[in-house]
Amino acid sequence: MAHKQGVLREHCAAVGRNYDEIKQTYYGFLQIADNPAEIHQRTDLHMITGNPEQVAAEVQQFINLGVRPLMFRFIGFPLRIKGGTGSPIRPAASLDD
């Protein structure tokens, strides 16, 4: 994504457009699975896949690049959230700047 942003920035400079006025968004496919054998990879789509920590790390990269909003189509429902009763669920990626 960072490379694409650089290309876009160059094109904006070439035509006199303010790069910062462009709202950069992301819509893609996301699959969370603890077992890599459960991941359904597709070569024709960008998919964010992996265990919860891997997925959060990749989503965080988009957030760090200023991409907003992020929209996902989840693959492999139902989502299974593991944890003990009463264990807190906290965000793994943060929008805080």
Side-chain angles (χ1 to χ4, degrees):
M1 182 73 181
H3 171 74
K4 290 181 180 183
Q5 286 180 317
V7 171
L8 180 59
R9 191 177 298 276
E10 290 173 12
H11 287 298
C12 287
V15 298
R17 177 154 185 197
N18 184 347
Y19 170 84
D20 295 323
E21 291 178 351
I22 297 173
K23 184 173 187 174
Q24 297 181 44
T25 64
Y26 175 82
Y27 173 80
F29 294 85
L30 188 142
Q31 183 178 18
I32 301 171
D34 288 322
N35 181 353
E38 296 176 2
I39 303 277
H40 304 285
Q41 288 290 356
R42 291 191 45 185
T43 58
D44 60 327
L45 298 172
H46 178 263
M47 295 179 60
I48 297 175
T49 62
N51 65 38
E53 293 78 18
Q54 292 167 326
V55 168
E58 189 164 348
V59 169
Q60 188 67 53
Q61 289 178 21
F62 282 92
I63 292 168
N64 293 347
L65 290 170
V67 178
R68 309 268 194 307
L70 298 161
M71 300 162 280
F72 301 106
R73 179 173 178 184
F74 286 84
I75 305 293
F77 267 84
L79 287 177
R80 292 179 216 99
I81 299 175
K82 297 181 180 181
T85 303
S87 65
I89 298 175
R90 60 179 172 72
S94 173
L95 293 174
D96 295 337
D97 293 323

